[in-house]
C-alpha cells in the first residue's frame, strides 16, 4: 500500500520536485514579452486580419514620434543639433524606413517643364535668416504644421517611420525604443519626449517585468509574515514559500515551453499564484497542528492527508475552473493566462500534497494547545450567524441590492495611456504631444474601391474629400491626411502657389497626370497613401488620447457618413489604434460575460459533486456569487471603468473565494458525520476552520493590495476592488453560509445524524 509518510516516498518526492524545477528553470531564458497591438487578438480574429491587410497594403503603421520642445522659436543651433540627431537615427535605428523632419520634409516648386519636389531645406541653412525663411514657408504648409512644427514654431518633431516587423519576432518591436533611447542619451541638451507604439510596448514590457517581480516579492513577504503568525514555526513558513516559488517557476517554464509570449497581464501572475497556493499550505499546516500531542508525527500526517486531501484537490479544481473560463475569451493574453495560471494552481496543489510529509515532519511537531480559548472574533461571528441568522441574511441581501443597481454605470474602457497614473513619464509625453502637436491617437480609414485604379477616379476622390472634410469638422479631430493633400498641394504649386487652386482637378485624366507628375518629380509618399494597384486609399485621422466612449462616437459617425454618402461599390474599413481600442473594449465586455458564465456553471457542478447534493451545491454558490455582484456594484459606485485587468476579477473571485467555501462545507459535513448537531457542527467549523480561512483571506486581501503601488491606475483599481471583494467573500463564508444552513436545517438536514450519510 502506498505510504506517503515513508522516508523513501517523502524524500523521493522532494528529489522529483527539484529535478522538475531544474527542467522548468532551464526554459525561463526563452521567455519573451509582447505588448504589440496584434498580441491582444487571436490569429483568426477579424480585427487582426483587417490590421494585417492594412499593413500589407500601406506598410507598417507603427512609428516613433520625437517631440523637441522649447520656450523660443527654433534657433540655428537647435536646428543643427536636430540634423545631427536625424543623421544618427538614420544610421542606428533598427527596422527604419525613413526619418521625417523639417530638414527633409517634402515641398513642391513649380518649374517651366513640370514640378520639383525637394526637401524644405535642400541645403542646410547658413544663418538664422535662412532658417527663419524656411520656417515661415513651413508654417504656410498645412501638411507640416501640427506634424513636424508647432504653430508657434517653438516645438519641432522627428517622425521615425518603420518597416514591417518580422513575423513572430516579439523582440523586433521592443528593440526600436531602446536603440533610440541610447541615441537620445547623446543629445541630452535637447528636451525630447517620445511617443508611439514601440515606445508603449517597450515601456509596458519594462513595467511588466519590474512590477511582476516587485509585487510578487511583496506578496511573498505578506504571506510569509502571516504564515509565521499562524504556524509559529520556521518550517511552517519555509514549506509554503517553497511551494509558492516552485509553482511559479513551473508555471513560467510551462509558458516558455508552449512558446507563448508574456504580456502586461503577467504582473498578476506571481501575486495570483502566491495568494492562491498559500491556501493549500495553510489548511494542511492548520490541520496537522490540530491533532493532539499524543498523536505522533507520522499518524498526524496520515490523518491530515486523509482529511485534507479531498478539499485541497477540489479547491484547486474549482480555482482552475474559474481561471480556465478565460480560454473562451477572444482576448489572446487573457485566454493564455487562464491556461498558465491554471497550471500554476495545479502545480501548487501537487507540490503542497507531495512536499508536506517531507518538510512538515522535520523536527518537532507544534501542537495547538487545547487549553487556549477559541479566537474571540470567530466566536462572536459564530454567535451572530447562529443566533440571528435572519438578520445576517437580510444585511447581506440589503448591501448587495444597494450596490447592484450601480453595475449599469460600469463601462468598458481600454485606454492604454489613460491607464497610467498622472505624472508617469510616458503619460506626460503623450499629454505634451496632444497639447503641442496634432494628437497621438489615429484612426486609419481605408477606402476600398471596386476595382484596380478606381481610386484615381474623380468620383472616388470627391467621396474621399467629403469624408475628410466631415472628419475635420469633428471637434475631437486634430488633423487629417490623405492623398488629397498631395494632389491639392501639387495643383497649387503648378499654379504659382495660388491658394485658390488648392483643390481637386476637374477630370479623371487630370488626376492621373498629377499623380504621375508627383512620382516623376521625386515624391516618395504615395506608396503609404494609395495601394499599389490604386484600388484603396488611406485617410488618417489624428486625435488626442481619447476614452472609449469618444472613440465609439468617432467610429460610429465615420461609418454612418460612409454608408450615406459613398458611391456604390465603395466601402470603408476602420483600422489603427482607435479601431483596435474599440474592438478590445467590445471583447472586454464579452470576455466578462463568457468567462463568468462558464466559471459559474463549472464551479456549481463541482460543488454539487463534492457535496453530493444539488441543493447544497446551489446554496454554497450564494456566498460566492454575491461578492462578484458586490465587486461590480462597487466599481459603479466608485466610478471605476471595466478595463482589461478587471476583466479577470469576477471569475477569479468565483474560483478563488470558493476555496474557503469548500473547506467550510467539508468541515461542517464532517462534523455531522461524527454525530454533531447542525448548530454544533457549524459553530466548530467557524471556530476551527475559520482560523485558516481568515488567514487565507488576509493573504488574498493584503497580497492583492500591493498593486496600489503600481504605476498603472488599472492595477490600482484592481487592488481596491479585489480587496473589497475578498473581504466580502470571507464574511459571506463565515456569516452568510452558516446563517443559511442554520435557517434551512429543517429542510436540508432533517436526518442530520442518519447513519447512511456518506463522506463527501
Amino acid at each position: 500500500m502506498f505510504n506517503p509518510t515513508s522516508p523513501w516516498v517523502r524524500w523521493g518526492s522532494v528529489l522529483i520536485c527539484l529535478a522538475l524545477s531544474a527542467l522548468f528553470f532551464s526554459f525561463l531564458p526563452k521567455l519573451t514579452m509582447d505588448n504589440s497591438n496584434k498580441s491582444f487578438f487571436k490569429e483568426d480574429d477579424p480585427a487582426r486580419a483587417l490590421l494585417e491587410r492594412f499593413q500589407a497594403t500601406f506598410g507598417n503603421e507603427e512609428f516613433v514620434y520625437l517631440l523637441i520642445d522649447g520656450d523660443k522659436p527654433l534657433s540655428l543651433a537647435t536646428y543643427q543639433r536636430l540634423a545631427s540627431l536625424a543623421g544618427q537615427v538614420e544610421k542606428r535605428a533598427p527596422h527604419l524606413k525613413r526619418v521625417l523632419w523639417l530638414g527633409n520634409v517634402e515641398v513642391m516648386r513649380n518649374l517651366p517643364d513640370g514640378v520639383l519636389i525637394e526637401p524644405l531645406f535642400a541645403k542646410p541653412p547658413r544663418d538664422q535668416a535662412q532658417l527663419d525663411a524656411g520656417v515661415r514657408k513651413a508654417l504656410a504648409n498645412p501638411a507640416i504644421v501640427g506634424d513636424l512644427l508647432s504653430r508657434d514654431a517653438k516645438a519641432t518633431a522627428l517622425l521615425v517611420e518603420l518597416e514591417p516587423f518580422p513575423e513572430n519576432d516579439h523582440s523586433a518591436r521592443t528593440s526600436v525604443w531602446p536603440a533610440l533611447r541610447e541615441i537620445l542619451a547623446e543629445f541630452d541638451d535637447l528636451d525630447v519626449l517620445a511617443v508611439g507604439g514601440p515606445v508603449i510596448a517597450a515601456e509596458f514590457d519594462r513595467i511588466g517585468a519590474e512590477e511582476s517581480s516587485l509585487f510578487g516579492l511583496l506578496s511573498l513577504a505578506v504571506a510569509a509574515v502571516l504564515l509565521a503568525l499562524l504556524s509559529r514555526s520556521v518550517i511552517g513558513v519555509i514549506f509554503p514559500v517553497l511551494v509558492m516559488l516552485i509553482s511559479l517557476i513551473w508555471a513560467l517554464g510551462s509558458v516558455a515551453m508552449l512558446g507563448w509570449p508574456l504580456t502586461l497581464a503577467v504582473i498578476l501572475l506571481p501575486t495570483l499564484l502566491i495568494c492562491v497556493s498559500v491556501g493549500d499550505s495553510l489548511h494542511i499546516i492548520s490541520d496537522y497542528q490540530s491533532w493532539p500531542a499524543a498523536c505522533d508525527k507520522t499518524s498526524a500526517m496520515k490523518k491530515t492527508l486523509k482529511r485534507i486531501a479531498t478539499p485541497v484537490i477540489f479547491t484547486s479544481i474549482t480555482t482552475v475552473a474559474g481561471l480556465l473560463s478565460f480560454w473562451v475569451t477572444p482576448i489572446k493574453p487573457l485566454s493564455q493566462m487562464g491556461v498558465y495560471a491554471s497550471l500554476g494552481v495545479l502545480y501548487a496543489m501537487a507540490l503542497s500534497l507531495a512536499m508536506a510529509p517531507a518538510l512538515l515532519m522535520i523536527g518537532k511537531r507544534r501542537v495547538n494547545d487545547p487549553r487556549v480559548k477559541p479566537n474571540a472574533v470567530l466566536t462572536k461571528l459564530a454567535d451572530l450567524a447562529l443566533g440571528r441568522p435572519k438578520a445576517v441574511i437580510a444585511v447581506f441581501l440589503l448591501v448587495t441590492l444597494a450596490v447592484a443597481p450601480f453595475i449599469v454605470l460600469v463601462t468598458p474602457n481600454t485606454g492604454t495611456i489613460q491607464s497610467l497614473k498622472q505624472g508617469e513619464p510616458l503619460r506626460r509625453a503623450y499629454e505634451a504631444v496632444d497639447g503641442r502637436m496634432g494628437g497621438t491617437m489615429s484612426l486609419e480609414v481605408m477606402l476600398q474601391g471596386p476595382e484596380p485604379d478606381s481610386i484615381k477616379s474623380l468620383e472616388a476622390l470627391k467621396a474621399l474629400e467629403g469624408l475628410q472634410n466631415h472628419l475635420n469638422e469633428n471637434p475631437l479631430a486634430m488633423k487629417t491626411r490623405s492623398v488629397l493633400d498631395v494632389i491639392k498641394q501639387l495643383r497649387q504649386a503648378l499654379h504659382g502657389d495660388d491658394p485658390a487652386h488648392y483643390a481637386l482637378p476637374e477630370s479623371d485624366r487630370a488626376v492621373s497626370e498629377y499623380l504621375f507628375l508627383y512620382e516623376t518629380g521625386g515624391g516618395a509618399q504615395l506608396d503609404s497613401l494609395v495601394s499599389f494597384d490604386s484600388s484603396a486609399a488611406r485617410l488618417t485621422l489624428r486625435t488626442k488620447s481619447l476614452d472609449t466612449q469618444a472613440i465609439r462616437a468617432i467610429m460610429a459617425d465615420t461609418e454612418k457618413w460612409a454608408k450615406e454618402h459613398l458611391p456604390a461599390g465603395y466601402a470603408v474599413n476602420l483600422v489603427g489604434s482607435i479601431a483596435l481600442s474599440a474592438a478590445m473594449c467590445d471583447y472586454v465586455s464579452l470576455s466578462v460575460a463568457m468567462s463568468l458564465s462558464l466559471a459559474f456553471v463549472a464551479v456549481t457542478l463541482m460543488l454539487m459533486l463534492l457535496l453530493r447534493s444539488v441543493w447544497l451545491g446551489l446554496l454554497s454558490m450564494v456566498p460566492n456569487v454575491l461578492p462578484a455582484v458586490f465587486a461590480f456594484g462597487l466599481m459603479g459606485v466608485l466610478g471605476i471603468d471595466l478595463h482589461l485587468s478587471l476583466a479577470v476579477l469576477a471569475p477569479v473571485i468565483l474560483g478563488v473565494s470558493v476555496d474557503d467555501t469548500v473547506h467550510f462545507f467539508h468541515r461542517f459535513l464532517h462534523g455531522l458525520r461524527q454525530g454533531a448537531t447542525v448548530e454544533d457542527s457549524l459553530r466548530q467549523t467557524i471556530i476551527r476552520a475559520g482560523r485558516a480561512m481568515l488567514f487565507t483571506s488576509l493573504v488574498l486581501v493584503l497580497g492583492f493590495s500591493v498593486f496600489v503601488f503600481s504605476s498603472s491606475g488599472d492595477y490600482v483599481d484592481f487592488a481596491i476592488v479585489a480587496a473589497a471583494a475578498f473581504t466580502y467573500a470571507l464574511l459571506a463564508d463565515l456569516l452568510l453560509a452558516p446563517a443559511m444552513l442554520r435557517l434551512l436545517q429543517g429542510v436540508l438536514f432533517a436526518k442530520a445524524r442518519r447513519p447512511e450519510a456518506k463522506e463527501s
Side-chain angles (χ1 to χ4, degrees):
M1 182 180 291
F2 177 73
N3 180 9
T5 60
S6 72
W8 285 104
V9 174
R10 287 160 49 198
W11 296 110
S13 300
V14 172
L15 289 176
I16 291 173
C17 291
L18 292 176
L20 288 173
S21 299
L23 174 65
F24 283 115
F25 189 83
S26 67
F27 280 87
L28 295 186
K30 298 182 180 180
L31 286 172
T32 59
M33 293 284 289
D34 184 12
N35 284 299
S36 65
N37 291 330
K38 282 186 181 181
S39 71
F40 289 89
F41 300 90
K42 294 182 178 180
E43 284 71 12
D44 59 349
D45 188 279
R48 176 168 178 164
L50 188 59
L51 174 63
E52 291 174 344
R53 178 183 158 198
F54 176 88
Q55 291 174 336
T57 304
F58 299 108
N60 193 356
E61 87 287 3
E62 299 270 19
F63 63 87
V64 174
Y65 188 82
L66 303 176
L67 174 68
I68 299 91
D69 207 350
D71 54 4
K72 297 179 180 179
L74 184 64
S75 67
L76 183 62
T78 301
Y79 177 90
Q80 291 169 344
R81 290 294 285 163
L82 291 176
S84 298
L85 174 58
Q88 289 299 310
V89 171
E90 288 176 342
K91 290 179 182 178
R92 297 159 56 183
H95 310 290
L96 180 70
K97 180 180 180 181
R98 62 184 172 186
V99 179
L100 289 178
W101 68 294
L102 279 182
N104 65 359
V105 63
E106 288 182 356
V107 293
M108 302 177 188
R109 186 156 57 91
N110 188 21
L111 297 177
D113 56 347
V115 66
L116 175 64
I117 300 173
E118 61 181 357
L120 175 63
F121 291 100
K123 296 180 180 179
R126 294 189 300 273
D127 52 37
Q128 188 66 40
Q130 285 190 353
L131 176 63
D132 291 342
V135 168
R136 286 192 296 273
K137 190 173 183 179
L139 290 173
N141 190 330
I144 298 176
V145 176
D147 272 353
L148 302 178
L149 186 67
S150 64
R151 295 188 182 279
D152 61 4
K154 294 180 181 179
T156 185
L158 272 69
L159 178 61
V160 182
E161 295 184 350
L162 302 167
E163 294 286 359
F165 299 123
E167 193 67 28
N168 298 321
D169 184 358
H170 305 305
S171 63
R173 191 171 187 254
T174 52
S175 67
V176 174
W177 174 231
L180 291 176
R181 190 168 49 202
E182 183 179 324
I183 296 171
L184 291 175
E186 301 169 11
F187 294 83
D188 55 1
D189 55 313
L190 298 176
D191 182 14
V192 182
L193 296 173
V195 300
V199 180
I200 293 177
E203 287 301 295
F204 274 74
D205 283 359
R206 179 189 60 79
I207 291 172
E210 291 178 358
E211 293 195 352
S212 61
S213 302
L214 173 63
F215 297 149
L217 290 173
L218 287 175
S219 300
L220 191 64
V222 168
V225 171
L226 293 175
L227 285 165
L229 293 173
L230 175 68
S231 66
R232 299 183 184 277
S233 67
V234 175
I235 200 64
V237 176
I238 293 176
F239 162 56
V241 168
L242 281 177
V243 168
M244 289 184 278
L245 291 176
I246 294 174
S247 63
L248 180 59
I249 291 172
W250 288 15
L252 292 175
S254 298
V255 176
M257 286 181 177
L258 292 169
W260 291 348
L262 296 172
T263 66
L264 198 62
V266 76
I267 292 178
L268 290 173
L269 184 63
T271 301
L272 178 63
L273 288 183
I274 288 168
C275 293
V276 170
S277 62
V278 75
D280 294 339
S281 303
L282 277 170
H283 283 285
I284 292 173
I285 293 170
S286 180
D287 195 275
Y288 180 62
Q289 294 178 347
S290 69
W291 298 103
C295 188
D296 62 71
K297 291 190 295 185
T298 300
S299 299
M301 181 54 66
K302 286 182 178 179
K303 291 179 179 181
T304 292
L305 293 177
K306 182 178 180 181
R307 185 162 71 179
I308 212 73
T310 298
V312 164
I313 291 171
F314 264 87
T315 55
S316 299
I317 292 175
T318 53
T319 301
V320 167
L323 294 171
L324 274 183
S325 66
F326 296 130
W327 180 251
V328 300
T329 68
I331 302 176
K332 189 175 180 180
L334 289 189
S335 180
Q336 292 180 342
M337 191 189 79
V339 174
Y340 55 71
S342 296
L343 289 174
V345 171
L346 293 176
Y347 292 153
M349 175 202 70
L351 288 164
S352 296
L353 294 175
M355 297 178 67
L359 298 180
L360 292 182
M361 291 176 67
I362 296 175
K364 185 178 180 181
R365 181 172 71 95
R366 184 181 181 278
V367 179
N368 294 333
D369 191 344
R371 295 172 297 178
V372 176
K373 293 182 179 181
N375 185 284
V377 174
L378 294 174
T379 302
K380 289 181 179 179
L381 290 176
D383 292 340
L384 178 60
L386 302 178
R388 306 187 65 184
K390 292 182 180 179
V392 169
I393 294 172
V395 169
F396 272 91
L397 288 177
L398 286 174
V399 171
T400 305
L401 291 174
V403 299
F406 290 91
I407 294 176
V408 298
L409 300 180
V410 178
T411 56
N413 191 356
T414 55
T416 304
I417 298 303
Q418 291 91 337
S419 71
L420 295 173
K421 286 181 177 178
Q422 290 285 350
E424 283 292 318
L426 185 58
R427 179 163 182 166
R428 287 205 314 270
Y430 270 79
E431 290 171 346
V433 175
D434 281 342
R436 299 289 280 143
M437 293 295 199
T440 53
M441 291 191 76
S442 64
L443 175 66
E444 300 289 355
V445 183
M446 188 162 58
L447 177 63
Q448 183 66 53
E451 58 188 8
D453 291 330
S454 55
I455 292 299
K456 292 182 179 179
S457 70
L458 193 59
E459 178 187 44
L461 293 181
K462 285 184 176 180
L464 184 62
E465 183 181 42
L467 178 56
Q468 187 165 356
N469 290 339
H470 178 74
L471 291 176
N472 281 326
E473 293 171 359
N474 192 307
L476 298 175
M478 299 287 290
K479 191 178 180 66
T480 59
R481 178 156 177 78
S482 74
V483 67
L484 300 177
D485 303 301
V486 172
I487 295 173
K488 291 177 180 180
Q489 288 172 24
L490 184 59
R491 190 167 186 263
Q492 179 178 329
L494 288 172
H495 290 80
D497 280 330
D498 183 359
H501 288 85
Y502 187 80
L504 285 174
E506 298 174 351
S507 66
D508 291 351
R509 180 179 178 181
V511 170
S512 297
E513 290 175 350
Y514 278 118
L515 293 176
F516 177 76
L517 278 174
Y518 176 77
E519 291 190 290
T520 56
Q525 298 184 42
L526 203 58
D527 62 336
S528 63
L529 298 173
V530 178
S531 64
F532 179 75
D533 63 355
S534 297
S535 65
R538 172 186 185 180
L539 167 59
T540 302
L541 166 68
R542 297 258 300 276
T543 73
K544 294 182 178 181
S545 296
L546 302 176
D547 60 24
T548 303
Q549 302 308 312
I551 287 172
R552 289 184 186 280
I554 286 181
M555 293 184 63
D557 179 64
T558 304
E559 290 172 337
K560 181 175 181 293
W561 190 96
K563 184 177 180 181
E564 294 175 353
H565 295 89
L566 286 184
Y570 288 85
V572 297
N573 292 303
L574 306 183
V575 203
S577 58
I578 286 180
L580 293 176
S581 179
M584 183 59 60
C585 206
D586 292 335
Y587 289 163
V588 166
S589 300
L590 180 62
S591 296
V592 171
M594 294 174 66
S595 60
L596 186 55
S597 300
L598 184 60
F600 175 81
V601 172
V603 172
T604 301
L605 292 175
M606 289 178 186
L607 285 174
M608 289 178 179
L609 177 64
L610 172 66
L611 304 177
R612 298 190 179 184
S613 167
V614 173
W615 295 112
L616 272 182
L618 291 173
L619 187 70
S620 66
M621 286 300 295
V622 175
N624 296 293
V625 172
L626 292 190
V629 175
F630 175 78
F632 279 101
L634 182 65
M635 288 169 58
V637 172
L638 299 178
I640 295 175
D641 291 334
L642 178 62
H643 37 69
L644 192 59
S645 60
L646 279 170
V648 309
L649 186 59
V652 167
I653 291 172
L654 196 59
V656 174
S657 63
V658 78
D659 292 2
D660 285 342
T661 304
V662 169
H663 284 285
F664 183 93
F665 274 80
H666 189 269
R667 180 67 72 97
F668 164 67
L669 293 176
H670 179 76
L672 290 185
R673 290 192 300 271
Q674 300 302 312
T677 65
V678 170
E679 186 170 345
D680 287 344
S681 184
L682 285 172
R683 182 176 297 277
Q684 289 303 309
T685 298
I686 295 172
I687 293 173
R688 301 302 177 192
R691 185 165 175 259
M693 291 166 60
L694 180 62
F695 272 85
T696 55
S697 296
L698 276 174
V699 171
L700 286 169
V701 171
L702 297 179
F704 282 113
S705 293
V706 301
F707 288 110
V708 297
F709 302 109
S710 175
S711 56
S712 169
D714 289 358
Y715 285 103
V716 175
D717 292 341
F718 182 92
I720 294 170
V721 179
F726 286 123
T727 301
Y728 197 78
L730 173 65
L731 293 175
D733 279 323
L734 293 179
L735 287 172
L736 182 60
M740 292 189 299
L741 291 170
R742 173 73 175 83
L743 198 62
L744 299 174
Q745 63 176 326
V747 178
L748 297 171
F749 309 108
K751 299 179 180 180
R753 300 190 187 185
R754 59 188 178 185
E756 70 272 21
K758 301 290 185 181
E759 180 175 348
S760 58

